[in-house]
Amino acid sequence: QVQLVESGGGLVQAGGSLRLSCAASGGIYNSDRMGWYRQPPGNQRELVATITSWGSTNYADSVKGRFTISRDNTKNTVSLQMSSLKPEDTAVYYCNVYRGNFGMDFWGKGTLVTVSS
């Protein structure tokens, strides 16, 4: 069973930067895809960015050019560097591990990011 713990959320002004980190325990496979999702207030959870163990990334159009996802396979961590933040980036951000070979998703408890205008 994979456990995920996020850190780094908080309050930031529009235009500012924030870095989220996620530590995974319980064993991460090279075939696992790691990523970040977010759930804005009153809305459904949505994809932010994902990354494979070989570094292939995928970003939501709304964050392209502003957010960067990275992964450390030796430490089983995934990070999200967020820059040029906008009020619409306000959301609870969730760390995710997708184990495609078994069709399994693991989720962290989430960390709140609030961007003030």
Side-chain angles (χ1 to χ4, degrees), residues 1-2 9 12 17 21 24 41-42 46 52 54 60 70 78 89 91-92 101 103 105-106 109-110 112-113 116-117:
Q1 188 77 2
V2 174
V12 63
S17 299
S21 296
E46 61 187 25
T52 64
W54 56 92
S70 59
V78 61
D89 294 318
V92 177
N101 292 343
D105 271 300
F106 301 96
K109 292 183 178 180
L112 177 63
V113 172
S116 63
S117 57

mmCIF file of all heavy atoms in Angstrom, residues 1-2 9 12 17 21 24 41-42 46 52 54 60 70 78 89 91-92 101 103 105-106 109-110 112-113 116-117:
data_model
loop_
_atom_site.group_PDB
_atom_site.id
_atom_site.type_symbol
_atom_site.label_atom_id
_atom_site.label_comp_id
_atom_site.label_asym_id
_atom_site.label_seq_id
_atom_site.Cartn_x
_atom_site.Cartn_y
_atom_site.Cartn_z
ATOM 1 N N GLN A 1 0.847 -1.192 0.000
ATOM 2 C CA GLN A 1 0.000 0.000 0.000
ATOM 3 C C GLN A 1 0.880 1.239 0.000
ATOM 4 O O GLN A 1 1.781 1.354 0.809
ATOM 5 C CB GLN A 1 -0.912 -0.002 1.233
ATOM 6 C CG GLN A 1 -1.951 1.082 1.240
ATOM 7 C CD GLN A 1 -3.122 0.775 0.315
ATOM 8 O OE1 GLN A 1 -3.164 -0.284 -0.298
ATOM 9 N NE2 GLN A 1 -4.057 1.686 0.224
ATOM 10 N N VAL A 2 0.581 2.150 -0.877
ATOM 11 C CA VAL A 2 1.359 3.383 -0.998
ATOM 12 C C VAL A 2 0.741 4.463 -0.123
ATOM 13 O O VAL A 2 -0.478 4.673 -0.137
ATOM 14 C CB VAL A 2 1.387 3.838 -2.467
ATOM 15 C CG1 VAL A 2 2.073 5.190 -2.590
ATOM 16 C CG2 VAL A 2 2.100 2.792 -3.331
ATOM 17 N N GLY A 9 1.969 23.684 0.875
ATOM 18 C CA GLY A 9 0.868 24.577 0.552
ATOM 19 C C GLY A 9 0.878 25.808 1.437
ATOM 20 O O GLY A 9 1.653 25.915 2.388
ATOM 21 N N VAL A 12 -0.340 32.693 -0.821
ATOM 22 C CA VAL A 12 0.623 33.450 -1.613
ATOM 23 C C VAL A 12 -0.128 34.493 -2.432
ATOM 24 O O VAL A 12 -1.293 34.284 -2.792
ATOM 25 C CB VAL A 12 1.443 32.504 -2.525
ATOM 26 C CG1 VAL A 12 0.549 31.803 -3.528
ATOM 27 C CG2 VAL A 12 2.579 33.233 -3.212
ATOM 28 N N SER A 17 5.263 32.565 -6.140
ATOM 29 C CA SER A 17 5.656 31.183 -6.394
ATOM 30 C C SER A 17 5.477 30.353 -5.143
ATOM 31 O O SER A 17 5.508 30.866 -4.021
ATOM 32 C CB SER A 17 7.118 31.130 -6.844
ATOM 33 O OG SER A 17 7.316 31.843 -8.042
ATOM 34 N N SER A 21 5.655 19.530 -2.386
ATOM 35 C CA SER A 21 6.405 18.288 -2.384
ATOM 36 C C SER A 21 5.520 17.153 -1.897
ATOM 37 O O SER A 21 4.590 17.368 -1.115
ATOM 38 C CB SER A 21 7.635 18.401 -1.482
ATOM 39 O OG SER A 21 8.533 19.362 -1.978
ATOM 40 N N ALA A 24 6.478 9.652 -0.960
ATOM 41 C CA ALA A 24 5.763 8.383 -1.070
ATOM 42 C C ALA A 24 6.477 7.306 -0.284
ATOM 43 O O ALA A 24 7.704 7.211 -0.309
ATOM 44 C CB ALA A 24 5.657 7.972 -2.533
ATOM 45 N N PRO A 41 -12.382 25.245 -5.111
ATOM 46 C CA PRO A 41 -13.615 25.304 -4.320
ATOM 47 C C PRO A 41 -14.839 25.150 -5.194
ATOM 48 O O PRO A 41 -14.997 25.855 -6.190
ATOM 49 C CB PRO A 41 -13.550 26.695 -3.679
ATOM 50 C CG PRO A 41 -12.113 27.059 -3.691
ATOM 51 C CD PRO A 41 -11.521 26.415 -4.900
ATOM 52 N N GLY A 42 -15.701 24.217 -4.840
ATOM 53 C CA GLY A 42 -16.938 24.020 -5.570
ATOM 54 C C GLY A 42 -16.812 23.324 -6.906
ATOM 55 O O GLY A 42 -17.787 23.247 -7.661
ATOM 56 N N GLU A 46 -9.192 17.990 -10.806
ATOM 57 C CA GLU A 46 -8.690 18.076 -12.166
ATOM 58 C C GLU A 46 -7.193 17.828 -12.213
ATOM 59 O O GLU A 46 -6.475 18.044 -11.238
ATOM 60 C CB GLU A 46 -8.991 19.469 -12.757
ATOM 61 C CG GLU A 46 -8.344 20.610 -12.005
ATOM 62 C CD GLU A 46 -8.781 21.983 -12.504
ATOM 63 O OE1 GLU A 46 -9.874 22.088 -13.071
ATOM 64 O OE2 GLU A 46 -8.003 22.936 -12.302
ATOM 65 N N THR A 52 6.356 10.423 -15.522
ATOM 66 C CA THR A 52 6.742 9.012 -15.430
ATOM 67 C C THR A 52 8.142 8.912 -14.821
ATOM 68 O O THR A 52 8.828 9.921 -14.623
ATOM 69 C CB THR A 52 6.752 8.380 -16.820
ATOM 70 O OG1 THR A 52 7.765 9.016 -17.612
ATOM 71 C CG2 THR A 52 5.401 8.531 -17.511
ATOM 72 N N TRP A 54 10.723 7.865 -16.185
ATOM 73 C CA TRP A 54 11.757 8.264 -17.162
ATOM 74 C C TRP A 54 11.643 9.718 -17.555
ATOM 75 O O TRP A 54 12.323 10.166 -18.473
ATOM 76 C CB TRP A 54 11.727 7.347 -18.389
ATOM 77 C CG TRP A 54 10.419 7.253 -19.085
ATOM 78 C CD1 TRP A 54 9.978 8.003 -20.121
ATOM 79 C CD2 TRP A 54 9.365 6.313 -18.781
ATOM 80 N NE1 TRP A 54 8.713 7.598 -20.494
ATOM 81 C CE2 TRP A 54 8.319 6.575 -19.695
ATOM 82 C CE3 TRP A 54 9.207 5.296 -17.850
ATOM 83 C CZ2 TRP A 54 7.132 5.844 -19.683
ATOM 84 C CZ3 TRP A 54 8.027 4.568 -17.842
ATOM 85 C CH2 TRP A 54 7.006 4.852 -18.743
ATOM 86 N N ALA A 60 -1.686 20.204 -17.632
ATOM 87 C CA ALA A 60 -2.932 20.842 -18.022
ATOM 88 C C ALA A 60 -2.602 22.127 -18.766
ATOM 89 O O ALA A 60 -1.620 22.812 -18.445
ATOM 90 C CB ALA A 60 -3.775 21.144 -16.788
ATOM 91 N N SER A 70 8.540 17.630 -11.146
ATOM 92 C CA SER A 70 9.796 16.886 -11.135
ATOM 93 C C SER A 70 9.651 15.686 -10.211
ATOM 94 O O SER A 70 8.781 15.659 -9.345
ATOM 95 C CB SER A 70 10.961 17.775 -10.696
ATOM 96 O OG SER A 70 10.730 18.295 -9.394
ATOM 97 N N VAL A 78 7.873 13.495 -5.488
ATOM 98 C CA VAL A 78 7.462 14.271 -6.649
ATOM 99 C C VAL A 78 7.175 15.683 -6.173
ATOM 100 O O VAL A 78 6.619 15.876 -5.083
ATOM 101 C CB VAL A 78 6.236 13.637 -7.347
ATOM 102 C CG1 VAL A 78 5.033 13.571 -6.428
ATOM 103 C CG2 VAL A 78 5.902 14.380 -8.634
ATOM 104 N N ASP A 89 -5.746 29.526 -9.415
ATOM 105 C CA ASP A 89 -4.969 28.357 -9.009
ATOM 106 C C ASP A 89 -5.314 27.912 -7.585
ATOM 107 O O ASP A 89 -4.822 26.875 -7.128
ATOM 108 C CB ASP A 89 -3.467 28.648 -9.092
ATOM 109 C CG ASP A 89 -2.988 28.877 -10.514
ATOM 110 O OD1 ASP A 89 -3.419 28.150 -11.419
ATOM 111 O OD2 ASP A 89 -2.167 29.809 -10.705
ATOM 112 N N ALA A 91 -6.792 26.086 -4.747
ATOM 113 C CA ALA A 91 -7.366 24.736 -4.732
ATOM 114 C C ALA A 91 -6.677 23.901 -3.664
ATOM 115 O O ALA A 91 -5.626 24.301 -3.135
ATOM 116 C CB ALA A 91 -7.188 24.060 -6.093
ATOM 117 N N VAL A 92 -7.266 22.758 -3.392
ATOM 118 C CA VAL A 92 -6.555 21.733 -2.639
ATOM 119 C C VAL A 92 -5.792 20.884 -3.654
ATOM 120 O O VAL A 92 -6.387 20.391 -4.614
ATOM 121 C CB VAL A 92 -7.513 20.848 -1.818
ATOM 122 C CG1 VAL A 92 -6.738 19.747 -1.110
ATOM 123 C CG2 VAL A 92 -8.284 21.704 -0.807
ATOM 124 N N ASN A 101 -0.525 -0.874 -14.281
ATOM 125 C CA ASN A 101 -0.539 -2.328 -14.472
ATOM 126 C C ASN A 101 -1.625 -3.009 -13.658
ATOM 127 O O ASN A 101 -2.066 -4.109 -14.001
ATOM 128 C CB ASN A 101 0.820 -2.923 -14.105
ATOM 129 C CG ASN A 101 1.905 -2.509 -15.086
ATOM 130 O OD1 ASN A 101 1.622 -2.044 -16.193
ATOM 131 N ND2 ASN A 101 3.161 -2.659 -14.694
ATOM 132 N N GLY A 103 -4.321 -0.970 -12.407
ATOM 133 C CA GLY A 103 -5.469 -0.076 -12.416
ATOM 134 C C GLY A 103 -5.738 0.552 -11.065
ATOM 135 O O GLY A 103 -6.899 0.740 -10.682
ATOM 136 N N ASP A 105 -5.120 3.624 -8.108
ATOM 137 C CA ASP A 105 -4.786 5.015 -7.806
ATOM 138 C C ASP A 105 -4.564 5.162 -6.307
ATOM 139 O O ASP A 105 -5.353 4.654 -5.509
ATOM 140 C CB ASP A 105 -5.915 5.965 -8.212
ATOM 141 C CG ASP A 105 -5.792 6.462 -9.640
ATOM 142 O OD1 ASP A 105 -4.763 7.101 -9.943
ATOM 143 O OD2 ASP A 105 -6.705 6.212 -10.430
ATOM 144 N N PHE A 106 -3.515 5.891 -5.954
ATOM 145 C CA PHE A 106 -3.252 6.230 -4.557
ATOM 146 C C PHE A 106 -3.246 7.744 -4.440
ATOM 147 O O PHE A 106 -2.725 8.438 -5.315
ATOM 148 C CB PHE A 106 -1.910 5.656 -4.101
ATOM 149 C CG PHE A 106 -1.817 4.157 -4.234
ATOM 150 C CD1 PHE A 106 -1.232 3.594 -5.361
ATOM 151 C CD2 PHE A 106 -2.303 3.330 -3.244
ATOM 152 C CE1 PHE A 106 -1.135 2.218 -5.495
ATOM 153 C CE2 PHE A 106 -2.209 1.952 -3.368
ATOM 154 C CZ PHE A 106 -1.632 1.392 -4.491
ATOM 155 N N LYS A 109 -3.632 13.249 1.195
ATOM 156 C CA LYS A 109 -4.775 13.910 1.821
ATOM 157 C C LYS A 109 -4.984 15.323 1.295
ATOM 158 O O LYS A 109 -6.031 15.920 1.535
ATOM 159 C CB LYS A 109 -4.580 13.938 3.338
ATOM 160 C CG LYS A 109 -4.650 12.551 3.973
ATOM 161 C CD LYS A 109 -4.529 12.626 5.490
ATOM 162 C CE LYS A 109 -4.648 11.236 6.095
ATOM 163 N NZ LYS A 109 -4.539 11.273 7.580
ATOM 164 N N GLY A 110 -3.988 15.839 0.604
ATOM 165 C CA GLY A 110 -4.122 17.156 -0.007
ATOM 166 C C GLY A 110 -3.495 18.264 0.801
ATOM 167 O O GLY A 110 -3.375 18.184 2.024
ATOM 168 N N LEU A 112 -3.613 22.685 0.869
ATOM 169 C CA LEU A 112 -4.351 23.838 0.365
ATOM 170 C C LEU A 112 -3.401 24.925 -0.130
ATOM 171 O O LEU A 112 -2.484 25.327 0.586
ATOM 172 C CB LEU A 112 -5.265 24.402 1.453
ATOM 173 C CG LEU A 112 -6.064 25.652 1.102
ATOM 174 C CD1 LEU A 112 -7.033 25.369 -0.042
ATOM 175 C CD2 LEU A 112 -6.807 26.167 2.331
ATOM 176 N N VAL A 113 -3.671 25.383 -1.332
ATOM 177 C CA VAL A 113 -2.962 26.531 -1.901
ATOM 178 C C VAL A 113 -3.986 27.641 -2.125
ATOM 179 O O VAL A 113 -4.993 27.425 -2.806
ATOM 180 C CB VAL A 113 -2.276 26.167 -3.232
ATOM 181 C CG1 VAL A 113 -1.716 27.420 -3.904
ATOM 182 C CG2 VAL A 113 -1.182 25.144 -2.994
ATOM 183 N N SER A 116 -4.042 34.926 -3.359
ATOM 184 C CA SER A 116 -4.826 36.135 -3.167
ATOM 185 C C SER A 116 -4.553 37.131 -4.285
ATOM 186 O O SER A 116 -3.440 37.210 -4.807
ATOM 187 C CB SER A 116 -4.496 36.768 -1.815
ATOM 188 O OG SER A 116 -3.142 37.170 -1.776
ATOM 189 N N SER A 117 -5.576 37.908 -4.607
ATOM 190 C CA SER A 117 -5.430 38.889 -5.703
ATOM 191 C C SER A 117 -4.945 40.226 -5.189
ATOM 192 O O SER A 117 -4.882 40.472 -4.001
ATOM 193 C CB SER A 117 -6.766 39.051 -6.412
ATOM 194 O OG SER A 117 -7.766 39.442 -5.488
#
